[in-house]
Every structure is written in structure tokens, then in C-alpha cells.
Amino acid sequence: AEALRALAAVLPGAAPAAEAAPMAPPPPSIPEAASGPVADAAVPDAAPVEYLRINATQIETLSTAVHALSEEVSRQAGLEAGLRGLEGELDGLRREWEALLRTQADPRLRQAERGLARLSRTAARLRREHRAHSWTAEAAAQRVRDQVETIALVPAETILGPLGRMARELAREAGQDVSVRLEGMDLQADRRVLQTLKDPVLHLLRNAISHGVEAPEERAARGKPAKAEIVLRLSGRGGLLVLTVGDDGRGPDLARIEATAIRQGLLPERAPGAPPPHPDRLLALVFEPGFSTAAEIDRLSGRGMGLSVVAEAARRLRGDALMRARHSGGGTLVEIAVPFSAARQRLLLVEADGQTYGVPSHGVERLLRLPVSTVESVEGQAVIRIEAGGQDVVVPVIALPALLGASSATIPVEGGHVNAMLLRRGQRRCAVAVEAARDVQTLLVDSLEAPGLDAELVSGVAPREGDLAVLVLSPEGLVGRWLRDEGHVGAGALGLAPVPERQATRTILVVDDSITTRTLEKSILEAQGYRVLLSVDGLDALNLLRGGEDVVDLVVADVEMPRMDGFALLQAVKNDPRLAPLPVILMTSRTDPEDIRRGLDLGAGAYIAKQKFDQRELLATIGQML
């Protein structure tokens, strides 16, 4: 109700256009309703498109209201489990009543039995109708949410475009011959995200001009062109907005950074003959508050001075900032990677030390389920050898509680395996061990400020229905903490602590062409004691089922797959007399009402949307069907 009132308050306020100052119409390439002015833009050879200028605050309020409404619609789906339980209780009561009738001849008992049968049928009908209506409402809410999120996006050019001109003027004032190039400015992102990044990006440009670029005589001695180059580039990568500021100057001075870090107490003195710290570890230190290698501070500020402000802006947006050498010939590149949207995030929910945490899925390179025998010890640190980027690499294994400050964290073992998230920052990777990866949910993430809270590791808090809110951890912050404290974090991580195992009793076949989805579902189901088989598409699954080598009790299948999709697999199963009794759950991103009806009509026992995937719903559904 509160969300609906917010919608009602926002929508009428968007109607009057007289308050907005007239502006020139946007170019035809800007999508309709993308912060356009009050004017009709004539598009050649197309129907006229009307543009309405709306206050940005109204769009943000509308977006918040739509998200709240969508969350409320999603919660209604939880009623289905209650209806299913009621239906099961009625069926059980009716069976007990039928057993009583066999020993009693009272007509009133027969009449009561018919009443129970009617109640059972009514409960089944209500559950089916509720399931259909809830899916239709969820699909409608998803469409509205997608449209609102699209409206809230603006081209980066509108916010960051003027920075190129400002940087050129700063270079001229400083007497520098610099070419400033902007790339990817047509990329669209949340206006609030771009606004938050504007000042940090300007600061990076100022630093590059003042201290990243060499003097003309130094460039000539190095064989570089007289005109220096600075590039501001935007791109998308794995659900993240990636912004880089690079120059072709002298590059990071690692020796100077190490000396400054030692002087400020961020690194211990290096013993004679000891190798220097890894470059990624050193470059992570430039974002520490007050860190600067500049001999003196001029009007444009020095390289490294204030970079903590850049890192703080990235953390506020639940992202990360890192520095690296641009290439072997010199130059420095600073990269800021943040989610496109500042509000909703897709979170992997994991358990560690009895607590549930959320980790943005864009920061998880891979989920790992490692046999204990593959975990080795190198200089007191647990490590594994995996393939990454086409190479065999050695990756440390660290218990999540150890990164969060626990003094005696041990790596949990479940069923003879270690469950871990492979996280990456720059070129460094680490496997963060958890008790279990439970599910993936798209949740609203709110900012969280509390005394003693480590803002580097905790990026926000996400409320969940029926549960306490979960802390959202920064994957970049976790890797950064390991880099900063390398050699100290995880010292006690070799004690492998067993997680209580459950006896596998039923076999479930998971069919999905995504290796990430298969791995996650396998982890969830095996943690509940099920034996899990995997297939990459419907044809592979059908061959496995017809082969008869494994007895399968239930199938969880995606819909969109190569060779044979989930609908075709479901139809083939139900048309085969031997396989027809096998319960099938469709779990897919296709949530159109027509697809839902088609799946249920073909005989699916349940239809679960990946967008609102909830481990509890999946496990409850499987429990009812088995």
C-alpha cells in the first residue's frame, strides 16, 4: 500500500511541463523518456516522438516505489507454500478419515468425508489459481521495473562529457601539451552513479596532467611523442560500469610507493635480500587515506594525493578502484568498476560461521567445490591449483571469517569438499571458503553506517523476507584485505573443520546450459543431502533418463537450452510411459504468462523464475514433490 501511495504521488507530478525551462530537443539516438526536454522531436522517416521533461528526483522516487511494489509482489509467492502445506494436511486428514470409515458405518462420517474431499479440491484449485496470478503479477511488476530502470538511465556524455574540455583547459594552464580523448560516452548508466563519479574522475584527470605526464625533454629522451595522451574510457563488463583514466607517462614508481608505505606504517621494513611485495599489493596502498608519493603538492595536487577519495566514492557505489601500470612502456591506469544501478543488486547468499552474507555476483569469478585432497599447504598457507585465463595458477584458500577478522577461522569441509568463491582483483585471485553457497537473489541494497563497521569490507545491507537483513560484502574489498595483510590473514586456515553431513537419499537431475547455474544448484541440493546429476541440455538429460543407469527421482530444468529446450524435454518425459510419473520443475528467466501456462499445461510440477530465485522455495517445492 505504501508503494502504491508513492506511485500515486509521483505520477501526477510528472504531468505539468510548464515548470521546466525549455531546452533543445534531444537527438533521435537518445531513447524515449531518457531525461528528455519538453518538446516534440521530429525523427526523419518515423512517427513523431514526444518527450517530457521530468524532475530527476521524481524518477528516483518512482524507481524506489516500483522496487518496493515489486518486492511486495514477490513476497506473495510465499503464500503458495502455505497453500501447498494446507492441501497436504487436508489430503492426510482425508486418508485418515477414509481409514476410519472402513471400521465405522455411520452415514454422518461418510458425509464428513465428502466435505473433506471438497475442501481438498478447493485448496488445490486456490493454490493453482494463486500460482498463476502471482506469476502474472510478478511478470507485470518486472516489466514495469525494467521500464523505470531504463528511464533512469542517461548517456554518460550528459554528465562526464564536459570533463574532457575541463581537462584540456587545465593542461593548457599548466603548460602541458596533452591530448585528452574520451571514449564510450554513449554508454548509459544510472544518473546518480555518474554524478557520484564526476568529481573523482576530474581528480584523476588533474593528477594525470600534473604528475602522470613527463616534461617534454623527458618524453623526448624516452622516445615518446611530444604530445602526451590521456584517455577517459567507459565500458561495460560483467554487469559493471567500468571507467578508466589512463596516461602514457612514466608509470607508477613502485620503489617510491614501498618507501612511502613503510614510512607511514602500512608495510613492515623489508629484510635484506627479501623479494619486494607484489606490484598489486603495493598499488592497492595508494588508495589509503593520506597516502602520497609526491615530493610537493601543487595546485593540481600530486599523484596519489586524495586517491582515497576515489576509492571511497567507488565503495559508496558498492564498487572498487584499482591502479596498475598501463603497459611495459610506461603509463598509469586507474580503473573504477561499479554496478550500473545504485540500488538493486544480484547477490550470491553464502553461509560462514553460522551467518548469512550477500556477495554481489558480478564479483564472483567462479564457484568452486574442491575435494579436500586438492588443498595443499605452501609456507603455512592453504592453496589450490586451478585453471584460470588459460593458465594453471596457484590460488590461496582463505576462510571468509578470517578475512572478516576472526582470529582462529578454519576452512569448513562439507561432504569431503571445500566450498569456495573465486574472487579477483586485478591479476590477483583468492578462493574464499564458506560453509555453503545457498542461493542468488536480486535485492535492494541500502547503505549502512554503524560505529566500528569496516566500510572496506561491508558495502551495505539487504533486507530479506522473513529473515534478518544480511550484510553485503564487497568482493573487491575482501581481496584487497588479503592483499593488504598478505602473510597474516589465513595463518590458521589450515585446520579443516567438518560441516555436518546429511545422508543422500534421493537423486535429482539438474539440466542447465549455464555452468554457473548448474554449480550453484548442485551446491544447494548436495548441502541438503540430495545426490545430484548434471546435464548440459535437454537432449543430454533425455538420454540419461532413458539410459536407465541412474534412478532419478526429480528433474530441475532450464527452459532456454541448445539442441532441446526445457519445454521439449518436459513433453518427451510426459509422453514416455516409463518417465511420465517423474516430477519436473522448470526454473527459467522466461516469466511471460504464456510461457508459464505452457509449462504447467505440459505437466511441470512447478515453474520457478530465476529472477526471484529463492533457495527456500526451491527446497520446499522439491520436498513436497518427493
Side-chain angles (χ1 to χ4, degrees):
E2 184 177 336
L4 290 173
R5 284 195 295 272
L7 279 171
V10 173
L11 292 175
E19 300 177 6
M23 296 174 60
S29 60
I30 297 179
E32 181 179 353
S35 66
V38 184
D40 289 347
V43 181
D45 303 323
V49 178
E50 294 185 356
Y51 291 91
L52 179 67
R53 183 176 181 181
I54 302 175
N55 186 289
T57 303
Q58 292 177 315
I59 289 294
E60 293 170 7
T61 306
L62 175 61
S63 177
T64 301
V66 169
H67 287 316
L69 177 62
S70 182
E71 292 291 331
E72 185 60 33
V73 170
S74 298
R75 290 189 184 99
Q76 300 306 311
L79 295 176
E80 184 182 350
L83 288 172
R84 188 185 297 115
L86 176 61
E87 182 183 355
E89 290 180 12
L90 286 171
D91 285 342
L93 185 58
R94 190 179 62 179
R95 286 192 296 270
E96 293 179 6
W97 204 266
E98 288 174 348
L100 181 62
L101 281 175
R102 286 193 289 270
T103 61
Q104 303 288 334
D106 193 331
R108 291 173 297 180
L109 295 178
R110 178 64 63 183
Q111 183 178 0
E113 189 275 335
R114 287 193 292 268
L116 282 174
R118 285 194 300 270
L119 281 175
S120 182
R121 289 193 297 270
T122 301
R125 177 178 57 80
L126 289 175
R127 180 176 63 82
R128 289 193 299 270
E129 291 178 356
H130 178 270
R131 179 169 57 184
H133 292 323
S134 65
W135 278 113
T136 302
E138 172 63 22
Q142 179 68 40
R143 286 194 294 271
V144 174
R145 187 169 63 214
D146 292 342
Q147 289 296 322
V148 170
E149 289 180 350
T150 300
I151 292 172
L153 301 180
V154 298
E157 174 69 31
T158 61
I159 307 294
L160 302 181
L163 296 184
R165 183 181 66 254
M166 296 173 65
R168 295 182 190 100
E169 292 175 355
L170 289 170
R172 280 195 296 270
E173 292 175 5
Q176 294 275 26
D177 188 11
V178 177
S179 167
V180 181
R181 188 171 78 250
L182 274 62
E183 299 177 357
M185 289 295 120
D186 57 342
L187 200 67
Q188 294 199 341
D190 190 317
R191 185 188 64 85
R192 293 167 293 181
V193 171
L194 295 173
Q195 286 283 14
T196 302
L197 292 175
K198 184 176 180 179
D199 287 343
V201 170
L202 179 59
H203 187 74
L204 291 174
L205 291 171
R206 293 163 67 97
N207 278 347
I209 294 168
S210 179
H211 295 285
V213 175
E214 312 99 315
E217 58 273 14
E218 186 179 346
R219 292 184 65 83
R222 293 173 179 265
K224 294 183 178 181
K227 196 179 191 68
E229 180 184 65
I230 295 175
V231 179
L232 167 60
R233 180 182 296 111
L234 268 74
S235 61
R237 184 184 69 206
L240 292 175
L241 172 67
V242 181
L243 185 151
T244 56
V245 175
D247 61 58
D248 65 347
R250 60 180 63 90
D253 188 338
L254 296 180
R256 201 171 196 178
I257 291 174
E258 182 181 5
T260 302
I262 292 172
R263 187 171 62 252
Q264 295 187 0
L266 298 173
L267 283 179
E269 288 278 358
R270 185 152 42 105
H278 192 281
D280 283 348
R281 186 182 183 192
L282 289 173
L283 292 176
L285 296 173
V286 303
F287 296 101
E288 292 292 327
F291 190 97
S292 176
T293 59
E296 59 183 23
I297 305 301
D298 62 12
R299 187 174 60 84
L300 289 177
S301 85
R303 167 77 68 183
M305 180 64 179
L307 285 186
S308 62
V309 178
V310 176
E312 176 58 30
R315 280 196 292 267
R316 284 202 308 272
L317 294 171
R318 303 177 185 97
D320 185 44
L322 60 87
M323 177 186 286
R324 66 174 185 268
R326 190 176 182 185
H327 46 67
S328 58
T332 302
L333 186 145
V334 176
E335 177 182 286
I336 303 173
V338 298
F340 277 92
S341 172
R344 293 177 64 84
Q345 289 197 57
R346 194 162 177 80
L347 302 177
L348 170 67
L349 300 180
V350 299
E351 288 188 8
D353 205 15
Q355 301 292 323
T356 300
Y357 299 95
V359 180
S361 60
H362 63 71
V364 181
E365 184 174 346
R366 197 189 311 170
L367 288 174
L368 303 172
R369 184 168 171 81
L370 311 164
V372 173
S373 59
T374 64
V375 181
E376 307 172 22
S377 176
V378 176
E379 298 181 356
Q381 170 69 64
V383 300
I384 55 169
R385 301 177 187 275
I386 62 172
E387 187 277 331
Q391 298 180 336
D392 290 332
V393 295
V394 176
V395 176
V397 183
I398 306 165
L400 177 57
L403 290 173
L404 298 178
S407 58
S408 59
T410 56
I411 296 175
V413 177
E414 180 267 321
H417 290 76
V418 174
N419 298 309
M421 306 175 289
L422 184 63
L423 307 183
R424 176 179 177 180
R425 182 175 183 179
Q427 300 302 312
R428 305 298 299 277
R429 294 177 174 88
C430 65
V432 178
V434 296
E435 291 174 9
R438 291 303 184 192
D439 55 14
V440 174
Q441 296 183 15
T442 301
L443 299 174
L444 283 170
V445 180
D446 298 326
S447 299
L448 179 64
E449 295 183 6
L453 187 70
D454 193 333
E456 180 186 3
L457 298 180
V458 180
S459 62
V461 61
R464 299 177 66 206
E465 175 208 355
D467 289 329
L468 295 175
V470 298
L471 291 178
V472 179
L473 304 178
S474 166
E476 298 84 4
L478 292 171
V479 182
R481 175 59 53 84
W482 167 63
L483 288 173
R484 192 190 72 185
D485 299 335
E486 193 172 2
H488 302 285
V489 166
L494 281 178
L496 301 178
V499 174
E501 300 182 34
R502 297 177 176 87
Q503 183 67 32
T505 56
R506 300 295 184 95
T507 298
I508 297 177
L509 173 62
V510 173
V511 190
D512 202 299
D513 60 329
S514 166
I515 186 172
T516 303
T517 302
R518 292 199 306 270
T519 303
L520 175 61
E521 293 179 26
K522 184 174 188 291
S523 175
I524 292 171
L525 295 173
E526 287 185 339
Q528 297 300 312
Y530 295 110
R531 175 172 174 258
V532 180
L533 304 176
L534 300 176
S535 289
V536 297
D537 59 29
L539 187 59
D540 183 33
L542 190 60
N543 290 335
L544 185 151
L545 292 171
R546 287 176 172 171
E549 295 180 5
D550 293 282
V551 177
V552 175
D553 298 290
L554 182 140
V555 176
V556 179
D558 187 18
V559 169
E560 296 180 296
M561 296 181 291
R563 298 201 298 174
M564 176 182 284
D565 66 15
F567 290 140
L569 170 63
L570 176 60
Q571 189 170 23
V573 167
K574 295 306 176 183
N575 288 339
D576 188 324
R578 295 178 304 157
L579 302 177
L582 184 65
V584 177
I585 297 173
L586 293 180
M587 192 162 74
T588 174
S589 57
R590 293 171 59 168
T591 57
D592 288 341
E594 296 80 7
D595 291 327
I596 297 170
R597 283 195 294 270
R598 181 182 178 190
L600 297 177
D601 290 344
L602 286 173
Y607 196 104
I608 299 176
K610 289 183 177 179
Q611 293 91 329
K612 66 181 196 67
F613 172 64
D614 186 321
Q615 172 201 348
R616 293 166 302 173
E617 180 185 356
L618 174 63
L619 294 176
T621 303
I622 291 174
Q624 290 291 331
M625 292 184 176
L626 294 180

